[in-house]
């Protein structure tokens, strides 16, 4: 439930406009392609999780790569989880001001949000999990509601023709769709807190659900607005809420989208702050990484970065770099595991 809410926010909200802008009408095919290739990635992740066997990620890295490389990787992972929280916070506050709270100061929105997230993160992973269990069912129900209510406006023939512009648009969208699944690597950062290790089957089910969270709004946007209009929308998932109409008198129920969006953002930012504390293993001062991470998020959100520049940074730098780093690191981990296993057998 934590993964579905935190990573689901990325898949359901943040990467959809990037996918539509890069791949247009074929954006949903990109998600299917990534899903078909996902068993390879899931298999690699499953091997790593089994080898870690409940060991803290810092201890595991030290065991296999030594203290220097372990410290370097912990720094990189800290930057990564901080960016996960910051990107969600920045995107959410931008959407909030653009839609339903235009007169509220950015400092107030960001500050109050971070106070709540710090409180949840300080209480620990169990609290975040319980919150996820409470929030997720209603998020799913509302998602099914908006999908069914808008069926009257959808024309799925707009998904045709396939590959109208060849395969280049497909490859342009791969880093964004893949980034949504590769975030499953966060499991390696808190697997030592889980009572049961997720196996290959459970990880694949999670991949399918995450892909469903992406492909549903993608196909909905294209079938409702057409590929060109959908690609120009900043928040395609929210635009579908604006279209909901039940009979002659019930409409303007897009306030439900606020619950959906804030639920995912709250869990995602709280998890990000919690992982910052967990990575550095500062038992006595465990609040310090959380506080510093939240303070940096607040400062970065207040920077005068336009939404257009923010989108460009995500599409051109963050997602390609994230995919390369994650895939490269996981392949190195698996190679090291095989080398260690073979050396043990030979001795």
């Amino acid at each position: 439930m934590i993964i579905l809410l935190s990573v689901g926010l990325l898949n359901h909200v943040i990467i959809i406009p990037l996918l539509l802008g890069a791949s247009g009408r074929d954006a949903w095919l990109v998600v299917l392609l990534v899903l078909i290739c996902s068993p390879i990635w899931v298999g690699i992740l499953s091997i790593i999780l089994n080898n870690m066997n409940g060991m803290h990620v810092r201890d595991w890295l030290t065991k296999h790569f030594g203290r220097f490389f372990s410290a370097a990787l912990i720094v990189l992972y800290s930057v990564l989880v901080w960016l996960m929280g910051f990107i969600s916070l920045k995107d959410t506050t931008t959407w909030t001001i653009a839609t339903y709270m235009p007169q509220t100061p950015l400092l107030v929105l960001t500050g109050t949000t971070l106070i709540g997230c710090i409180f949840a993160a300080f209480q620990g992973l169990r609290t975040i999990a319980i919150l996820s269990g409470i929030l997720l069912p209603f998020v799913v129900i509302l998602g099914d509601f908006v999908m069914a209510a808008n069926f009257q406006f959808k024309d799925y023939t707009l998904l045709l023709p396939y590959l109208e512009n060849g395969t280049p648009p497909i490859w342009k969208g791969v880093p964004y769709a893949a980034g949504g699944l590769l975030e499953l690597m966060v499991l390696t950062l808190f697997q030592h807190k889980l009572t049961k290790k997720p196996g290959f089957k459970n990880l694949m089910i999670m991949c399918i659900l995450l892909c469903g969270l992406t492909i549903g709004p993608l196909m909905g946007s294209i079938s409702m607005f057409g590929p060109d209009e959908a690609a120009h929308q900043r928040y395609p998932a929210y635009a579908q809420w604006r279209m909901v109409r039940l009979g002659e008198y019930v409409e303007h129920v897009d306030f439900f989208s606020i619950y959906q969006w804030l639920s995912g953002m709250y869990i995602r930012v709280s998890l990000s702050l919690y992982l910052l504390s967990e990575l550095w293993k500062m038992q006595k001062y465990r609040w310090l990484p959380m506080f510093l991470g939240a303070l940096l998020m607040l400062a970065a959100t207040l920077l005068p970065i336009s939404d257009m520049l923010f989108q460009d940074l995500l599409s051109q730098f963050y997602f390609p770099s994230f995919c390369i780093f994650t895939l490269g690191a996981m392949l190195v981990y698996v190679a090291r595991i095989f080398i260690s296993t073979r050396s043990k057998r030979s001795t």
Side-chain angles (χ1 to χ4, degrees):
M1 289 184 174
I2 292 173
I3 294 296
L4 287 178
L5 273 176
S6 60
V7 182
L9 176 72
L10 177 75
N11 287 26
H12 194 71
V13 173
I14 297 174
I15 70 172
I16 286 179
L18 301 177
L19 266 173
L20 285 168
S23 304
R25 194 195 307 270
D26 296 324
W28 64 281
L29 292 175
V30 179
V31 181
L32 287 180
L33 175 64
V34 170
L35 179 60
I36 291 170
C37 298
S38 64
I40 301 172
W41 153 247
V42 171
I44 293 172
L45 181 60
S46 182
I47 291 170
I48 294 169
L49 289 173
N50 285 330
N51 187 264
M52 295 180 82
N53 196 28
M55 186 182 294
H56 191 284
V57 62
R58 189 164 186 169
D59 298 330
W60 186 82
L61 289 172
T62 302
K63 174 185 174 183
H64 286 283
F65 300 98
R67 294 199 173 197
F68 176 78
F69 286 107
S70 171
L73 286 168
I74 290 298
V75 170
L76 288 174
Y77 278 127
S78 299
V79 173
L80 185 63
V81 297
W82 181 86
L83 284 172
M84 286 168 51
F86 163 68
I87 289 168
S88 306
L89 184 66
K90 171 72 175 176
D91 204 46
T92 301
T93 51
T94 301
W95 169 72
T96 299
I97 291 174
T99 52
Y100 62 94
M101 296 181 74
Q103 300 300 321
T104 306
L106 181 59
L107 177 62
V108 174
L109 285 175
T110 310
T112 52
T113 300
L114 285 172
I115 289 172
C117 292
I118 288 175
F119 180 77
F122 188 77
Q123 296 303 311
L125 189 66
R126 184 179 180 83
T127 298
I128 297 174
I130 293 171
L131 285 170
S132 300
I134 295 170
L135 297 172
L136 182 62
F138 298 102
V139 171
V140 173
I141 290 170
L142 290 173
D144 292 338
F145 166 71
V146 69
M147 177 182 66
N150 281 333
F151 192 76
Q152 57 185 318
F153 304 120
K154 294 177 181 178
D155 178 10
Y156 285 101
T157 60
L158 292 173
L159 297 173
L160 303 173
Y162 308 135
L163 302 175
E164 181 182 16
N165 298 309
T167 58
I170 296 286
W171 305 122
K172 287 181 182 178
V174 165
Y176 314 129
L181 292 187
L182 291 175
E183 271 206 3
L184 283 175
M185 55 72 61
V186 298
L187 285 168
T188 62
L189 305 183
F190 64 87
Q191 50 79 38
H192 60 284
K193 293 288 186 178
L194 303 179
T195 55
K196 183 179 178 182
K197 293 192 299 291
F200 179 84
K201 180 181 177 181
N202 291 333
L203 291 172
M204 273 307 306
I205 291 173
M206 211 174 296
C207 275
I208 293 170
L209 292 174
L210 290 173
C211 285
L213 287 172
T214 307
I215 203 169
L218 273 175
M219 296 179 72
S221 293
I222 296 170
S223 61
M224 287 176 68
F225 306 109
D228 295 329
E229 175 61 27
H232 285 96
Q233 291 175 347
R234 177 61 179 89
Y235 304 109
Y238 177 67
Q240 293 176 55
W241 271 105
R242 297 293 299 271
M243 293 290 291
V244 173
R245 184 177 182 181
L246 303 175
E248 293 294 326
Y249 304 105
V250 181
E251 53 185 335
H252 300 298
V253 295
D254 46 287
F255 58 88
F256 284 126
S257 66
I258 300 172
Y259 174 86
Q260 280 189 308
W261 197 318
L262 294 189
S263 295
M265 183 276 299
Y266 184 64
I267 297 300
R268 187 174 174 83
V269 176
S270 299
L271 181 64
S272 173
L273 295 175
Y274 169 79
L275 290 177
L276 282 175
S277 173
E278 196 64 31
L279 281 169
W280 290 98
K281 295 181 68 175
M282 299 174 66
Q283 297 298 330
K284 190 175 181 180
Y285 301 101
R286 59 188 296 263
W287 57 270
L288 186 59
M290 296 180 193
F291 178 76
L292 292 177
L295 195 63
L296 286 173
M297 285 183 193
L298 177 63
T301 306
L302 295 176
L303 289 175
I305 301 174
S306 68
D307 189 50
M308 186 176 294
L309 177 59
F310 178 68
Q311 287 288 96
D312 288 341
L313 291 173
L314 290 183
S315 61
Q316 296 177 22
F317 297 102
Y318 175 74
F319 280 106
S321 301
F322 172 75
C323 291
I324 292 171
F325 168 74
T326 304
L327 283 174
M330 294 302 170
L331 289 173
V332 170
Y333 294 168
V334 168
R336 187 71 183 93
I337 290 169
F338 284 143
I339 292 171
S340 298
T341 304
R342 182 170 295 181
S343 63
K344 285 181 181 178
R345 286 177 181 174
S346 62
T347 55

